[in-house]
Each structure stands twice: as C-alpha cells, then as structure tokens.
Amino acid sequence: MASEDIAKLAETLAKTQVAGGQLSFKGKSLKLNTADDAKDVIKEIEDFDGLEALRLEGNTVGVEAARVIAKALEKKPELKRCHWSDMFTGRLRSEIPPALISLGEGLITAGAQLVELDLSDNAFGPDGVRGFEALLKSSACFTLHELKLNNCGMGIGGGKILAAALTECHRKSSAQGKPLALKVFVAGRNRLENDGATALAEAFGIIGTLEEVHMPQNGINHPGVTALAQAFAINPLLRVINLNDNTFTEKGAVAMAKTLKTLRQVEVINFGDCLVRSKGAIAIADAIHGGLPKLKELNLSFGEIKREAALSVAEAVADKTELEKLDLNAGNMLGEEGCEQLQEVLEGFNMAAVLASLSGLSEGRPSGQGVWTWTSPEPPVPPVPQEPAPVLSSPPPADVSTFLAFPSPEKLLRLGPKSSMLIAQQTDTSDPEKVVSAFLKVSSVFKDEASVRTAVQDAVDALMKKAFSSSAFNSNAFLTRLLIHMGLLKSEDKIKAVANLYGPLMALTHVVQQDYFPKALAPLLLAFMTKPNGALESCSFARHNLLQTLYKV
C-alpha cells in the first residue's frame, strides 16, 4: 500500500463514523446532561439499522441523558459490543451507578446478547460495580467474551461484587444449557489486593474458559497470587497472563510455576516487577523447561533474581521456537559477568535476538527509592541522600552514533539530559524512512522504569516534533513506512519487521497524545491496530493501551 492509498483510506474514514454495524461517538467530548443534550445521539441510534457496536468513549454522560439513551437501546437487540470507557469525566461518583443501571436495563429490555463490555477508565469505585451488577447477572451477558474494567478503582469491595456477579451469571447461563464462556478479563490498576483477587479467582475457577487475564498493579501479594494460580490451572485455554507489578515473592512464584506446568497454550507471561526472586525464577524455569511450547514472551524483570537463577531461565527456553522476547536483565542481580553469561547461553541456542536490552550493569528498584546500578551480583547498599550512588566501575561515555547503532536503555541514559536534542539533530527529518528508523531504535529500549520511560518519551518528542513541524515532511509516507517496519503493512521491499512491538506501541501511545501529532493520522493508525495480526496479539497489553488512547484522540 503506497502513501496515496493511505491518503484514500484517510478520506474514507473521515467521511464516516459507522462501519461493520458500529456507531461511534468516540472522542467527541460531548457533554450529555439532559434529554435534550442527547437528542442527536438518540436519533443516530434509532436510525441505525443492525447496530452491533456502540462507542461512547471520550464523552461525559449524565443520569438523565443515560436514561433516554437507554430507552433508545431498548429497540436494539443486535447490539453486541459496548465500548463505554471514559464516559463519565467530571461526573460526581454518585451519578455513575444510576447512569449505568439505566443503560443496563436498556440492554436487558432489548434482549441484547453482548460479547464485549468495556467500562475502563471510569473511576467509579465499588459503588459503580453495583451499577452494572444486574446487567452482568442477566441474560444479556450470558454470551459475554470480553470484560474490560481497567483503571476503575473498584477496590476489594468492588472486586467481590464483580466476582459474585460473574459467578451468578455462570450459574444462570449454565441452567439454560449455555454456560458463560468469558475469554478476556482486564482489570489493571483497581486496588483489588488479596481479598479482591481471591474472590475473582474463585469465579475464574468456575468459569474455566479464560484466554487472557490482565491484572497488573493491583497490590496483590502471595496469598492472592496463589489463589489466582489455582484458578488458572482450571483454565486450560489461557494464552496471556499479565500480573505485572504485583508482589509474588517466592511463595507466589512457586505456586504460579506449578500451574504453568499444566498449561499448554500460554504465549505471553508478564511477571515483571513482581519480586519472584531466585527461588521463584528457578521454579518458573522448571515449568518452562517441561512445557509451554507456544511461549512467545516472558517478562521476569525487576524480580531480584540472581545470576544462576537467571541462567536457569535462559537455558529453559532453548527449545521455545516461537519465543520473541525474554526480559530478564532489567532490575535483577546479574552483574557484568552474569549479563555476559546470559548473552552467551542464548547465543548458543541462536536466540540472542530475543533478549531485552542488555549491558554490563544490572539495575534494582527498591520501594520508595530511586534507581541504582551495580556490577556485583549482590544487592547494593541504597545510596545516601544528597550523594551519588557508588558504582564499582564507571561506564564508558556514550554518543548518539553508538546508541543508534546498538540501542540500550543504559546508553540512552548515559547520553544525558541533552539526549533528545542530540538524537533529533543527528536525524535527517526530511526523510520519512530515516525518521522511522530513529523512532524504532529509540522506542525499542522502552521500559516501564520511570527514568528510561521519560528518556524515551523525551527523545521521540524531540524527533517527531521536529519532523511533523516541517512543511516538507510527508506524514502519510512516514506512517506507511512505520507500518511496514512494524510488520502491519505489506511491501514489495524486503524489510525485516521489528521483532518486538512492545516499545514502539508504548511510544506511539505517548506520541498520539501530543499537540504536534497530526490528528488526521489517528484513524489510519486505529484502522491498522484493530486488524488481526500475530505481532500485535503478542503485545496485547501495549496494543490495548494504544487503542484506548486512539479512541480518545
């Protein structure tokens, strides 16, 4: 597809908000307080024949407006997908439950059979879960495949209410001979903690059909992790397990490893920042060695893993022919020699390319403190305030050419505060191909660690702002070349696609929110992000984040 084809697609998408049975009001910033405010939305819903998907993201819906929208939905039995994230901005928390109750009643009255319900980024708390509890228990959700509740502030109480509703939905649907077959569950950043996670684990064990579970950043410790592990063992179709930034410790990691031995479909494991420690890593290595034939991505970063345990993990992936990414080095205690050994082990399997960025320094991140570096395999003493952290050897100075030739987070940080300016200056921003190359190299080192994330974002900001601000820069050509290099668009050129899209997707999530980004490119990017693609599916969490952001642009 050439640049002119991209332009034609842009024109087509700009002329319509509906496609494939979908009606979209996403990102229109509509303030729907009264019935009169919602009259245009209602008319479009009423006039839309065969409505299968309704997008209300990026608007704000009040109680009265929700009531009349729900009335319109009562005559839409074909509705299957409700994309209702970020639709209560600026509302009092007390307004959200009655609004959700009305919308749910509309769906129930219509006899809808939902397959997807997305209420992410609504910050409704435990009371908000009460707002859609009846909907979840109703026949409208007996057919539900995807439930997305990311960043809703449910807390322990909301987690328990949700678990009970899912259990009741399964019971009632089973009584009708068609048990609830939930496939995707997303509930990151909800403060579920152990009790909320344990309640949901009980529901997961009853459902038994899960394929993806995303529950990062929930304050879950080993009792909750163990409960989830036991539930996962009863979900043999699991492909993606994302529990990033919870606290396993050895107990939770060993319990999870026991479950991993029983699963055969798992492709993505994200236990980064989970403090699995060496004993846990060895248990996980044992599970990998004897199974997980489809494993594509394994993240054990920031786990306080020592050298021998890390090497055990590396040796365990020797026969994992589909592996695309192994993140072991960040935040673990390998030391310079351990890093070299890790590289050598993977090179022996001809798999060095799967290893996340590596250097002679390992990093650690203790709670409540900054980042330090060390070369010893033993943990360092935290740096004294007002004084620089001691290092056993000084890393050589980095330059932009070295970084772009062999990108790593450490090299980017060593470029110093002027790194973003230097990279932009050294890139010929009149050439879309060179901008794409620089963008992909910078974004490839992206990590969730604050210092690296900020450095990457600053660098892509400087680069892309310089490029897009030039009247000579061809934005469509840039997007075309970027999609080709990401493996999302076919080309006659023989170009090897980027092996791991996590960094580029996370960087794009930042870029599309900036003022310099041409908004006309957003629907084009969205069109390709929603297409089925194996490379995107292996980075489902990053893809999900980008999609959520694009819907709001």
Side-chain angles (χ1 to χ4, degrees):
M1 183 182 289
S3 295
E4 51 268 28
D5 298 315
I6 289 279
K8 288 178 183 178
L9 178 58
E11 184 178 356
T12 301
L13 289 173
K15 290 180 179 178
T16 181
Q17 288 291 323
V18 298
Q22 173 178 287
L23 175 59
S24 176
F25 300 95
K26 71 176 182 65
K28 290 183 176 292
S29 301
L30 301 174
K31 295 181 180 179
L32 308 178
N33 297 317
T34 65
D36 190 58
D37 293 335
K39 64 182 181 182
D40 291 339
V41 171
I42 292 167
K43 186 177 189 307
E44 289 200 50
I45 292 174
E46 289 175 341
D47 292 347
F48 196 111
D49 293 329
L51 179 63
E52 294 184 4
L54 178 61
R55 293 191 175 276
L56 294 174
E57 311 102 314
N59 300 290
T60 179
V61 182
V63 176
E64 184 181 338
R67 189 178 299 121
V68 293
I69 290 172
K71 198 69 178 174
L73 292 178
E74 288 181 1
K75 298 178 182 179
K76 299 296 174 182
E78 304 94 347
L79 189 60
K80 292 180 174 63
R81 299 183 183 276
C82 296
H83 302 280
W84 294 351
S85 64
D86 188 26
M87 57 180 260
F88 295 114
T89 302
R91 298 289 167 186
L92 295 174
R93 183 171 286 187
S94 60
E95 294 181 85
I96 301 177
L100 287 172
I101 288 170
S102 293
L103 291 167
E105 288 174 347
L107 295 172
I108 295 169
T109 301
Q113 294 185 313
L114 298 183
V115 296
E116 181 177 1
L117 177 61
D118 186 355
L119 292 171
S120 298
D121 300 316
N122 279 313
F124 43 56
D127 292 341
V129 185
R130 291 285 188 199
F132 61 93
E133 179 184 15
L135 173 62
L136 279 182
K137 292 179 179 180
S138 75
S139 59
C141 286
F142 288 179
T143 49
L144 197 64
H145 286 168
E146 301 182 31
L147 179 59
K148 300 172 182 177
L149 300 165
N150 207 52
N151 193 31
C152 289
M154 291 189 291
I156 294 172
K160 289 182 175 180
I161 296 167
L162 176 61
L166 288 172
T167 301
E168 180 68 2
C169 180
H170 186 273
R171 185 190 68 79
K172 291 168 71 175
S173 58
S174 296
Q176 293 192 8
K178 294 183 178 180
L180 171 67
L182 190 67
K183 296 180 180 180
V184 178
F185 181 82
V186 180
R189 291 181 287 173
N190 270 291
R191 306 192 314 273
L192 295 170
E193 301 182 16
N194 288 332
D195 289 349
T198 299
L200 285 166
E202 292 176 6
F204 296 164
I206 292 169
I207 294 169
T209 54
L210 288 168
E211 296 180 14
E212 295 187 25
V213 175
H214 301 270
M215 295 174 67
Q217 299 179 16
N218 268 297
I220 306 170
N221 298 326
H222 73 81
V225 172
T226 299
L228 288 170
Q230 293 168 349
F232 292 166
I234 317 172
N235 285 263
L237 300 178
L238 267 174
R239 294 185 298 104
V240 178
I241 304 175
N242 177 9
L243 294 177
N244 186 282
D245 202 4
N246 291 291
T247 307
F248 284 38
T249 67
E250 296 94 332
K251 290 182 180 179
V254 169
M256 193 62 71
K258 182 178 179 182
T259 286
L260 291 176
K261 286 186 176 182
T262 70
L263 300 175
R264 305 293 295 174
Q265 304 301 320
V266 173
E267 298 175 5
V268 178
I269 297 172
N270 188 342
F271 296 160
D273 213 0
C274 284
L275 209 65
V276 301
R277 296 190 173 134
S278 293
K279 183 177 179 181
I282 290 171
I284 291 170
D286 185 49
I288 294 170
H289 184 73
L292 302 178
K294 298 183 178 181
L295 188 63
K296 293 182 178 179
E297 184 174 335
L298 174 62
N299 185 348
L300 293 177
S301 60
F302 292 98
E304 289 192 2
I305 300 169
K306 295 184 180 180
R307 184 200 313 177
E308 293 305 319
L311 293 174
S312 296
V313 174
E315 290 166 356
V317 303
D319 62 344
K320 302 299 175 275
T321 56
E322 296 186 35
L323 191 68
E324 298 172 0
K325 180 182 178 182
L326 174 63
D327 196 341
L328 261 176
N329 45 295
N332 290 314
M333 298 181 287
L334 309 185
E336 185 173 0
E337 184 179 345
C339 288
E340 293 173 355
Q341 288 179 328
L342 191 59
Q343 186 85 33
E344 289 172 2
V345 167
L346 290 167
E347 284 175 351
F349 307 144
N350 197 27
M351 296 177 70
V354 307
L355 190 62
S357 298
L358 194 63
S359 77
L361 298 175
S362 300
E363 300 170 345
R365 183 175 59 187
S367 176
Q369 298 189 28
V371 175
W372 66 65
T373 60
W374 69 91
T375 54
S376 167
E378 296 302 319
V381 177
V384 178
Q386 309 297 327
E387 295 181 11
V391 291
L392 297 185
S393 61
S394 298
D399 58 68
V400 175
S401 299
T402 301
F403 167 74
L404 292 174
F406 304 100
S408 76
E410 295 75 23
K411 290 191 184 79
L412 180 60
L413 294 176
R414 291 207 299 271
L415 287 174
K418 294 184 179 180
S419 60
S420 57
M421 179 187 68
L422 294 171
I423 292 170
Q425 286 178 344
Q426 189 152 322
T427 303
D428 178 4
T429 51
S430 65
D431 185 340
E433 181 71 20
K434 291 179 180 177
V435 175
V436 167
S437 177
F439 173 83
L440 290 173
K441 288 178 179 179
V442 172
S443 63
S444 71
V445 307
F446 182 94
K447 292 197 301 185
D448 291 324
E449 178 196 331
S451 60
V452 177
R453 180 175 65 246
T454 300
V456 169
Q457 291 174 347
D458 288 348
V460 296
D461 277 343
L463 175 68
M464 300 315 305
K465 186 175 182 179
K466 180 184 175 186
F468 286 131
S469 63
S470 170
S471 59
F473 186 67
N474 189 328
S475 298
N476 281 341
F478 165 77
L479 183 59
T480 300
R481 301 306 298 174
L482 180 62
L483 292 169
I484 289 171
H485 281 274
M486 292 175 70
L488 306 180
L489 187 60
K490 292 183 178 180
S491 169
E492 294 180 0
D493 301 331
K494 292 184 178 180
I495 294 176
K496 184 178 180 181
V498 176
N500 179 24
L501 294 182
Y502 178 78
L505 291 174
M506 295 301 285
L508 281 171
T509 300
H510 171 77
V511 167
V512 300
Q513 299 177 71
Q514 308 310 309
D515 291 340
Y516 61 71
F517 179 74
K519 303 309 177 190
L521 296 184
L524 312 179
L525 190 55
L526 179 62
F528 284 94
M529 287 300 115
T530 53
K531 287 184 177 181
N533 185 286
L536 289 175
E537 289 168 7
S538 68
C539 299
S540 57
F541 190 67
R543 177 194 198 183
H544 177 73
N545 282 346
L546 178 55
L547 284 172
Q548 280 189 322
T549 305
L550 285 169
Y551 291 142
K552 300 173 188 177
V553 171

